[in-house]
Amino acid sequence: MSKPSILYFDQVNDQMRALLKRLKPEGFELWFWHDLDEDERNARLPQADYLMAATYPLDQHILAKATQAKLVQKTGVGVDNIDLPKATELALPIANTPGANAPAVAELTILLILALYRKLPVLHQSMKEGKWLMWEFRSSSYEMQGKTHGLIGFGQIGQETAKRSRAFGTQIIYYDKFRAPAEVEEQLDARFVSLEELLQTADIVSLHIPLLPETRGLINAKTLQLMKKSAVLINVSRGGVVHEQALYHALKDGVIAGAGIDVWESEPVHADHPLLQLENVIASPHIGAGTIDTLKRVLATAFNNIQAAENEHHFQYSVNGITQLRTPISQ
Ligand code: NAD
């Protein structure tokens, strides 16, 4: 009997390939999409039992051709790279790895806030250029202590971020589609507010919501206008949640003070991107979940889920409401 197979879609470097091979469950074959030429892709796609992807777009064409697939396993949380309606139409379950990357994204959020508040990139660069800017930025540098931190999205990453931010002495307010349980609010000393109140009162606004039709462009010229002139915006959710052109103008015209941006409307981003020309922007290339600690947790969760699916016909973390493995479509 042939071994069950996992088709891994994202590009890998040597370390990532070795990690995937080491963590993969015993008795499974692991195929790398980027190792295959077009003919091999056409042959393997209908044979794969499990599809696994981080950010690679699993569009309707790929999903339709994956006739043997029982489950699509996302390594991460946001499933905006997968055509959910198509998968649902095909009765194909999609699972993710909730919470596994929350500590890393929460830490990056704090890092971006502090780096903006203390002008770390500019100071680091200035020292390399032989400058000693000991006093230049004191009147425009800030502490987190005493500031109001508004979190938009209060799920796993939002709450992990709030926990860390609290330790720096901030007041936590949050907006979410669903109010958190009272014990969570109490534990994090977090106050549930409207989106409008959050934008108007927060010194720090950080984004932790998924990219959905209703969240696309949530931060736009109108909502940016509601924010304090001294406020900073941190986007570690998805680029599409922010209207980048509106953000550019808001930063350039002093509508808000600064932005820390990890995720972009279109990735990868090139050096001539307008937001990268601004001094009050700190940028990173979608590395919110980018730690080895997270990778190990995410891959362990994903592989365990696939193993349970294969051996026990049971899996967790469905994000499209389908909780049964799909029976392969006969060709
Ligand atoms: P989660 O599902 O635990 O939390 C998401 C929260 O957003 C939930 O509380 C949900 O109720 C809320 N929400 C959904 N739709 C909303 C709406 N329309 N208005 C207000 N709130 C809404 O997910 P999470 O683990 O906290 O991750 C959040 C997002 O962070 C992911 O969807 C992903 O896009 C992004 N993310 C980014 C990185 C990165 O590398 N920068 C890594 C992981 C996740």
Side-chain angles (χ1 to χ4, degrees):
M1 212 174 82
S2 66
K3 289 179 177 178
S5 54
I6 303 169
L7 181 53
Y8 186 81
F9 282 86
D10 291 76
Q11 198 130 29
V12 290
N13 60 17
D14 289 348
Q15 289 91 337
M16 183 66 186
R17 182 186 293 270
L19 188 68
L20 278 157
K21 284 185 170 171
R22 183 159 64 79
L23 295 179
K24 132 188 122 55
E26 227 173 285
F28 279 74
E29 281 200 61
L30 183 59
W31 300 332
F32 292 96
W33 183 247
H34 285 276
D35 288 351
L36 307 175
D37 64 25
E38 205 177 328
D39 288 345
E40 288 166 334
R41 285 180 177 184
N42 285 333
R44 290 283 169 91
L45 188 52
Q47 294 169 358
D49 296 296
Y50 299 93
L51 310 184
M52 194 160 152
T55 59
Y56 192 87
L58 297 186
D59 61 22
Q60 52 170 323
H61 307 292
I62 288 190
L63 295 178
K65 284 183 196 156
T67 45
Q68 178 79 19
K70 302 173 196 174
L71 170 70
V72 178
Q73 177 65 56
K74 156 92 187 188
T75 54
V77 186
V79 286
D80 44 283
N81 59 316
I82 303 171
D83 188 331
L84 253 64
K86 184 67 184 177
T88 307
E89 180 197 315
L90 294 167
L92 188 53
I94 316 263
N96 69 354
T97 60
N101 52 21
V105 185
E107 287 186 12
L108 182 72
T109 309
I110 303 296
L111 170 64
L112 290 171
I113 298 166
L114 289 171
L116 274 171
Y117 265 10
R118 300 301 290 268
K119 313 264 190 285
L120 188 62
V122 178
L123 290 170
H124 175 75
Q125 187 55 34
S126 70
M127 286 201 67
K128 290 175 124 193
E129 290 164 5
K131 298 178 197 151
W132 185 253
L133 305 180
M134 187 173 165
W135 289 93
E136 272 71 1
F137 292 120
R138 290 198 185 203
S139 57
S140 56
S141 294
Y142 302 91
E143 293 162 7
M144 285 178 70
Q145 174 160 290
K147 304 295 186 295
T148 298
H149 184 169
L151 297 101
I152 300 180
F154 208 56
Q156 306 247 19
I157 295 172
Q159 291 179 28
E160 285 295 318
T161 303
K163 205 190 289 175
R164 286 157 179 78
S165 182
R166 279 285 298 152
F168 283 89
T170 59
Q171 258 113 50
I172 301 294
I173 56 175
Y174 76 96
Y175 165 73
D176 195 290
K177 202 169 169 176
F178 303 106
R179 189 167 176 173
E183 60 270 23
V184 171
E185 287 190 353
E186 200 180 323
Q187 210 175 24
L188 297 171
D189 206 2
R191 192 163 63 84
F192 181 60
V193 296
S194 68
L195 179 61
E196 197 178 30
E197 182 180 344
L198 185 145
L199 292 169
Q200 285 170 339
T201 57
D203 300 297
I204 302 157
V205 174
S206 61
L207 304 177
H208 310 286
I209 41 174
L211 178 61
L212 302 167
E214 75 255 31
T215 61
R216 185 174 287 282
L218 183 83
I219 302 298
N220 52 44
K222 214 167 130 202
T223 44
L224 284 161
Q225 278 293 344
L226 296 175
M227 290 173 64
K228 289 181 172 181
K229 275 193 184 337
S230 56
V232 293
L233 176 75
I234 308 295
N235 189 8
V236 289
S237 64
R238 282 292 181 266
V241 174
V242 175
H243 190 290
E244 276 178 4
Q245 214 185 343
L247 177 62
Y248 172 79
H249 288 295
L251 288 163
K252 201 162 179 293
D253 301 343
V255 174
I256 66 168
I261 310 169
D262 183 49
V263 284
W264 304 81
E265 266 178 10
S266 170
E267 297 177 0
V269 160
H270 300 290
D272 60 357
H273 192 291
L275 283 165
L276 296 178
Q277 316 313 313
L278 299 175
E279 287 235 327
N280 49 355
V281 166
I282 294 182
S284 54
H286 199 150
I287 46 101
T291 65
I292 182 66
D293 313 275
T294 279
L295 251 185
K296 285 180 183 165
R297 271 195 307 270
V298 164
L299 292 178
T301 307
F303 282 139
N304 284 342
N305 215 26
I306 288 175
Q307 197 170 23
E310 184 63 22
N311 297 341
E312 299 153 32
H313 308 288
H314 163 77
F315 67 95
Q316 298 185 75
Y317 319 127
S318 171
V319 292
N320 64 340
I322 301 178
T323 53
Q324 300 285 318
L325 293 170
R326 188 180 64 172
T327 315
I329 299 168
S330 53
Q331 294 164 66

